[in-house]
Amino acid sequence: MTTLPTWAGTGLAALALSAAVLAQEPGNQTGLKEHPCLLVNAAGLPALRAKAADERQNRFGFVPAAVWKDIRGNADRLAALPAYSYAVSIPGEGGVILEEWSYTLSAETPPPHPLSPNYPPWTAMFQERADSISTRLIHFSFAALVTGEESYFLKAREIALALCQWRDWTDRSYGAGRIEACLDTGHCTYSVAMFYDWCFDRLDAAERQLIRTALMEKGIVPILGYVDHYPPDTNGYAVLLAGATLASLAVRPEDARGGVWLQECLDKMTVSLDRGGKDGGTFEGPGYGTYLLDSLALGFDALTSARVDHGLFEHPYLATMPRYCVGLLAPDTLQIPCFSDGSPAIAVPRLMRILAQRGSTDAAFYLEQIGALGIDGIYDFVRFDEASLQPRPPAWNPSSVFVDIGYASLRDGFNAAAPSLFFKSGPTTNNIGHNHYDHNAFVISYGRQWLVPDRGYHNFYIPAKRKFSLGSIGHCTVVMDIDDAWMADATVPSPGHDQVNRAGGRITDFFAGQAFDYVRGAAAAAYNPKDRTVLDRFDRQIVYVKPYAFILRDDLAAPEPHAYSFLLHSDGVGDIEGADTAWRLLRTNVQLHARIQSSVSAAARVQTYPGAETYGPFLRVETAPVNQAAFLAMLVPQPYANPSWLRNGGFEKGFSGWVPRAGEDLPNHRVETGGVHGGRQCAAIDGSGYYYSERFSLPVGSRVEASVWIRTLGTPEGKGATMTLYFWRQGKAFAQERVGPFRHDDWQEHRLATTVPAGTDEVCVALEYFAAGTGFFDDVAVASDAPVVAGLEPQIAMEGADSATLRLGDETVALLCSVRGQRREAGDLAADAEMAVVVLDAAGEPTRAFLHQGSVVTWKGRDLLRLDGPGTAEIVLADGALAAQVRTDTTPHAALPAAPSLSTALRGGRASLNGAPAALQEHAGGLAIRLGGAPSR
């Protein structure tokens, strides 16, 4: 056994014991046992260096040598900085500061933080971000590997040797000493493993022994001894496995136990993949889900370069991930919604790049959509192979459902001009810690914005904000019996009022069609504590009438009467206006027309949550106390004709329409009521901060001029306030124009005019102040020569919660809700379906129709669609040709209760469309309707 140094510490016994046990097993000894082998091997090193020198522009529009120059430039930037240091004011309940903590990298273990055991400062030091211990160590090591320059190696060695002398690679204060390995352990372990592997030939024997022993004692053994304390479907589990996998591969050439540890890592990776959504998707959303899968992907990269036999790429879960990424990617914002902790984002780019390089055209298409076919950092640079990437649009309908995680997308294909709705009801049994109490909730993406948003990462430290951002009240779902006492109580969850279970919702039905999408969620179980039943039923149905309207129908029932509240949310930059049952959610360039009706008497109000006003307004439609109630909502997103391009330029509505700088600078931002330029209010920044306007769209080449009135107070000479126009592409600011700094104690107007540059998706105005004293801003305005786009004004009429009509432009939509098997009529529409929709053209002729859980829909007494048994169907009539999709089984998952099969219920011609007999013929998309000839499509 390897002799360990005398400072080895308490992990020595565990390492010795593991050695005795592991020596009896062969482990995984396949592949390369040489250095380097992590991400790049010796055979591939010449090609890597050739890539760094390749000055040719490839078919994706970039030059590999330029990418390498950026990577090396980042290493040089980090090398020029002082020794790494980190400081944080650790917050506690109510926003108080529990303690000040700081550390500068050395051979000494970082200090404890006993007053704040729930805060992880070590994680911030090791996660790969613009500057961290891991970022420096990996960049210096990689630069040394590619260039062979001694200066990079010395920088990397200094960091690695310091880390090897720490007592642990785990923050013992976090969790009050109960945690043996955490995120910090995983990140530190794989970073040191990369240094050891990439710089092995430059280390002397003593240094190799020191680092190898640290990798085993402080990394591999504590990780594998503790990782099972984490659920396998969480990021903590994956980050730890990434660390142990890379470290096992790194030490394996010198220590055969590395192969045994490696096999244990592979077995645990399989367990993690087994725990993913059975039909696809990540339980923790695109943020933490990406952290999980892209951490495993780092292990996949290392296994590939080391040529290890492992079989992980054949796991069925990985085959579902391109559909998850494509299906849940909003075509306009190019983001995946996040219903849990986190924000809308792109998902698993590292994993998708691996799958794309392995030949997945769907993964490559997703990367093309999000602008990620290029190289983003060291890992992509090593892996990138132009010839392997073949992006092609998927042949399947991107409207998708993932029942196990509880997500569904209702969208008009890849039409970026149309709205998309994303729905959540689930998981049913898997209680995910980063999830919220938000079953049967939805968000809407439109006009490159989240017009109806989610709350993002829930607040930990402010009780009112924690309740609002985590609880049902802060999401587009239903709550009950809301009064002043409940609003003042910060308890979350609150039995009898909102959801009390993070698990319990379920998507029971789903249909993805050409003209309509449909989803149904059942969420009553999420409201029921173990000791009683609060709700018997909360079913939410949503049908998307493509490409412009969403219709929601809620059915609620309970053993006791409740005042049910239907919730519709904006956010801190949006407005809600209206009255009675007709409302509008307003953003800078887009709006949502909302008409909401209840089956019983109800009252509507727009409000903010006390103590959480920064989250913005929400609409609450509340019924009288009843046992049973239904809501019917018509939601119609449209462009908003806003000739000023900005909203709330005078800050008369507080911060609405503006996003102040977050973090420690957030308290520096305020609305000032004295000494304003115009109106009653202006914005102020004390010391440091900025306001970003809501982004708006302008055509490339159009002129844009921004103006603002500014004054300053107590500003040092040479400093002052600035105004910037930022131009955004695929979610990133790529160009800017700025005026200032300005320093004067009286109000003066300043202007900035320019042309919108090529490649711009969106524009925003930033008001900035970084100096002692205070900057004041008022009466901001934007002018442009671009045309102002006006939306259509919908005309909506409702009869209770069972029927409605929508007129938008030349089309009319008629809706009827009933009970399965019971025929009902509303005007000219009749059906026996739970939901039936007919769309008419300007002449009043049906052009398309939909029914769910019914057998017939008629218009003016004429059958549009008749099935032999209850089913779900759509028809599309265009240019005299009829196409249809008919299904009787809309259960979206094999585990759901079985419904009659298509062949049993429909084969043999027992259907009619538009009043004519129709034969049914199976094809790749399900069934086609045949009217006397070839099946129409």
Side-chain angles (χ1 to χ4, degrees):
M1 189 179 88
T2 303
T3 302
L4 300 180
T6 57
W7 46 260
T10 57
L12 179 58
L15 183 61
L17 178 62
S18 71
V21 175
L22 297 176
Q24 304 172 19
E25 303 180 26
N28 191 319
Q29 306 294 344
T30 65
L32 303 176
K33 296 181 183 178
E34 61 183 31
H35 299 290
C37 68
L38 298 184
L39 310 188
V40 61
N41 54 44
L45 190 54
L48 177 66
R49 289 171 173 158
K51 188 188 303 182
D54 186 356
E55 297 284 355
R56 298 171 299 171
Q57 179 172 301
N58 59 35
R59 62 188 170 98
F60 299 114
F62 65 89
V63 176
V67 177
W68 161 244
K69 182 179 179 181
D70 289 341
I71 293 172
R72 183 173 184 176
N74 201 30
D76 292 338
R77 175 187 66 83
L78 295 168
L81 296 175
Y84 178 82
S85 63
Y86 178 72
V88 61
S89 300
I90 300 180
E93 184 78 12
V96 301
I97 301 302
L98 298 177
E99 56 187 312
E100 300 288 344
W101 190 89
S102 63
Y103 175 71
T104 299
L105 181 62
S106 70
E108 297 293 324
T109 304
H113 47 99
L115 301 180
S116 50
N118 296 320
Y119 193 90
W122 284 34
T123 299
M125 294 198 301
F126 281 106
Q127 284 177 325
E128 291 186 66
R129 48 187 87 210
D131 186 15
S132 72
I133 296 173
S134 297
T135 302
R136 293 191 184 199
L137 182 53
I138 293 169
H139 274 77
F140 298 153
S141 303
F142 187 69
L145 176 70
V146 176
T147 68
E149 292 188 12
E150 184 78 2
S151 61
Y152 294 123
F153 165 71
L154 295 176
K155 282 283 188 181
R157 185 180 66 173
E158 180 182 11
I159 295 173
L161 294 182
L163 293 174
C164 289
Q165 296 179 69
W166 286 15
R167 182 185 64 252
D168 301 289
W169 287 348
T170 297
D171 180 359
R172 293 294 177 177
S173 291
Y174 184 58
R178 297 186 301 272
I179 296 176
E180 300 292 329
C182 198
L183 299 175
D184 47 9
T185 321
H187 288 295
C188 181
T189 301
Y190 73 67
S191 303
V192 175
M194 289 179 190
F195 167 74
Y196 177 79
D197 181 61
W198 292 344
C199 298
F200 183 86
D201 290 344
R202 293 174 177 267
L203 298 168
D204 62 33
E207 290 169 338
R208 293 172 183 173
Q209 172 74 15
L210 174 68
I211 298 169
R212 187 167 60 249
T213 301
L215 282 169
M216 294 187 291
E217 179 194 353
K218 305 177 195 300
I220 300 171
V221 170
I223 286 174
L224 294 180
Y226 192 78
V227 67
D228 288 334
H229 287 76
Y230 294 84
D233 49 12
T234 61
N235 61 86
Y237 190 89
V239 172
L240 287 171
L241 285 184
T245 299
L246 268 69
S248 298
L249 288 168
V251 304
R252 196 172 62 145
E254 292 74 52
D255 194 318
R257 290 173 297 172
V260 183
W261 289 320
L262 175 62
Q263 186 58 50
E264 188 173 355
C265 292
L266 295 175
D267 293 342
K268 292 182 183 298
M269 283 186 179
T270 301
V271 172
S272 183
L273 295 177
D274 288 343
R275 286 286 297 272
K278 295 298 182 290
D279 51 351
T282 63
F283 281 100
E284 291 191 306
Y288 280 101
T290 294
Y291 200 2
L292 185 162
L293 285 170
D294 277 3
S295 295
L296 293 182
L298 181 60
F300 298 162
D301 272 337
L303 293 167
T304 299
S305 60
R307 301 178 184 173
V308 173
D309 295 334
H310 56 81
L312 291 174
F313 287 126
E314 283 68 55
H315 195 285
Y317 177 62
L318 294 183
T320 71
M321 290 310 297
R323 175 177 279 273
Y324 166 79
C325 290
V326 172
L328 288 180
L329 185 73
D332 58 327
T333 60
L334 297 178
Q335 295 175 323
I336 289 174
C338 185
F339 289 97
S340 54
D341 284 345
S343 301
I346 60 173
V348 294
R350 187 182 298 166
L351 175 62
M352 286 300 102
R353 287 180 172 113
I354 292 175
L355 297 181
Q357 295 280 189
R358 293 179 58 83
S360 170
T361 59
D362 288 348
F365 173 78
Y366 167 74
L367 294 171
E368 184 178 56
Q369 291 293 104
I370 64 174
L373 273 175
I375 298 175
D376 183 19
I378 290 172
Y379 307 139
D380 294 335
F381 183 76
V382 173
R383 187 192 317 111
F384 182 80
D385 175 21
E386 178 186 358
S388 300
L389 297 173
Q390 302 296 330
R392 288 198 295 270
W396 39 269
N397 188 335
S399 298
S400 301
V401 66
F402 304 93
V403 174
D404 210 24
I405 66 172
Y407 280 31
S409 65
L410 283 65
R411 48 187 289 172
D412 186 29
F414 300 102
N415 181 5
S420 302
L421 183 145
F422 301 89
F423 179 73
K424 178 179 182 289
S425 193
T428 303
T429 58
N430 196 354
N431 185 8
I432 301 298
H434 281 294
N435 278 3
H436 299 171
Y437 298 96
D438 60 352
H439 300 279
N440 277 6
F442 65 91
V443 295
I444 295 175
S445 178
Y446 179 60
R448 300 186 186 275
Q449 303 175 57
W450 290 98
L451 178 56
V452 176
D454 190 70
R455 291 300 160 202
Y457 214 111
H458 83 273
N459 189 286
F460 280 88
Y461 305 112
I462 309 298
K465 291 185 176 182
R466 178 171 59 240
K467 176 181 178 178
F468 188 75
S469 57
L470 179 62
S472 305
I473 185 66
H475 300 82
C476 292
T477 183
V478 167
V479 293
M480 298 167 291
D481 303 327
I482 305 305
D483 55 23
D484 292 341
W486 184 83
M487 295 288 275
D489 183 358
T491 303
V492 59
S494 179
H497 296 278
D498 56 2
Q499 297 173 23
V500 296
N501 301 307
R502 287 188 174 95
R506 185 177 185 82
I507 295 176
T508 62
D509 299 88
F510 182 80
F511 178 91
Q514 175 186 343
F516 302 89
D517 287 342
Y518 173 89
V519 68
R520 181 184 192 132
Y527 293 79
N528 298 331
K530 294 180 180 179
D531 61 348
R532 69 185 193 275
T533 297
V534 174
L535 277 183
D536 293 318
R537 182 173 64 251
F538 172 25
D539 291 351
R540 169 164 283 180
Q541 302 178 78
I542 306 177
V543 63
Y544 183 12
V545 184
K546 302 183 185 184
Y548 50 72
F550 303 101
I551 303 171
L552 282 71
R553 163 73 183 224
D554 290 348
D555 289 290
L556 296 126
E560 303 293 334
H562 294 285
Y564 302 102
S565 288
F566 178 104
L567 302 174
L568 181 63
H569 283 269
S570 184
D571 59 16
V573 297
D575 285 335
I576 303 178
E577 63 179 35
D580 299 326
T581 61
W583 302 87
R584 287 197 308 164
L585 275 66
L586 296 174
R587 303 296 287 255
T588 295
N589 289 147
V590 295
Q591 60 186 322
L592 177 74
H593 296 271
R595 185 73 181 267
I596 303 163
Q597 192 86 23
S598 171
S599 61
V600 299
S601 62
R605 74 199 71 181
V606 175
Q607 61 188 116
T608 56
Y609 191 85
E613 292 84 357
T614 56
Y615 284 108
F618 62 96
L619 172 65
R620 183 161 70 90
V621 181
E622 184 179 43
T623 70
V626 290
N627 291 76
Q628 298 185 29
F631 290 105
L632 183 64
M634 188 85 73
L635 307 179
V636 186
Q638 283 288 297
Y640 174 44
N642 180 10
S644 63
W645 303 101
L646 285 179
R647 289 185 305 107
N648 193 31
F651 296 91
E652 299 302 307
K653 295 184 177 180
F655 292 158
S656 179
W658 297 90
V659 179
R661 190 182 193 191
E664 61 185 20
D665 277 346
L666 182 59
N668 301 345
H669 302 74
R670 57 189 170 86
V671 171
E672 177 68 42
T673 57
V676 303
H677 174 261
R680 295 174 290 106
Q681 297 185 154
C682 69
I685 299 174
D686 297 319
S688 62
Y690 52 68
Y691 297 95
Y692 276 19
S693 77
E694 190 176 357
R695 298 179 201 172
F696 50 92
S697 297
L698 290 174
V700 169
S702 61
R703 292 292 294 173
V704 57
E705 182 180 57
S707 62
V708 60
W709 288 83
I710 290 174
R711 71 179 178 93
T712 61
L713 181 65
T715 306
E717 189 172 352
K719 302 288 186 179
T722 58
M723 177 176 64
T724 305
L725 280 170
Y726 283 105
F727 301 94
W728 300 78
R729 179 173 56 219
Q730 293 182 327
K732 296 180 180 180
F734 73 98
Q736 66 183 59
E737 295 284 347
R738 174 173 292 157
V739 291
F742 303 110
R743 172 180 175 265
H744 40 76
D745 58 9
D746 60 331
W747 285 107
Q748 295 183 24
E749 185 180 28
H750 300 282
R751 294 179 175 272
L752 171 60
T754 189
T755 299
V756 177
T760 297
D761 294 329
E762 296 174 295
V763 185
C764 81
V765 177
L767 311 174
E768 303 137 328
Y769 187 83
F770 292 93
T774 303
F776 299 87
F777 305 88
D778 205 353
D779 295 329
V780 188
V782 172
S784 175
D785 59 3
V788 176
V789 179
L792 298 173
E793 189 70 25
Q795 303 298 318
I796 303 172
M798 289 185 169
E799 293 291 334
D802 293 327
S803 65
T805 59
L806 160 68
R807 180 178 292 276
L808 190 70
D810 291 334
E811 289 199 326
T812 299
V813 178
L815 164 77
L816 176 62
C817 298
S818 182
V819 177
R820 175 177 168 177
Q822 294 185 11
R823 179 181 173 87
R824 294 191 61 184
E825 297 181 0
D828 294 325
L829 175 62
D832 64 352
E834 290 187 2
M835 184 172 282
V837 182
V838 174
V839 182
L840 313 170
D841 62 17
E845 291 298 317
T847 61
R848 51 199 190 274
F850 169 84
L851 84 163
H852 175 66
Q853 287 301 308
S855 59
V856 63
V857 55
T858 68
W859 182 258
K860 293 184 177 180
R862 180 179 51 151
D863 285 4
L864 296 180
L865 175 60
R866 181 177 292 275
L867 305 177
D868 186 58
T872 298
E874 70 168 8
I875 60 172
V876 179
L877 182 62
D879 299 326
L882 182 66
Q885 182 178 358
V886 181
R887 296 214 305 262
T888 56
D889 183 358
T890 56
T891 53
H893 192 281
L896 295 176
S901 70
L902 289 172
S903 58
T904 300
L906 294 176
R907 185 174 290 125
R910 296 190 301 273
S912 63
L913 288 173
N914 211 22
L920 297 163
Q921 179 174 332
E922 293 183 277
H923 65 100
L927 295 181
I929 307 301
R930 187 171 61 195
L931 296 173
S936 57
R937 297 195 181 275

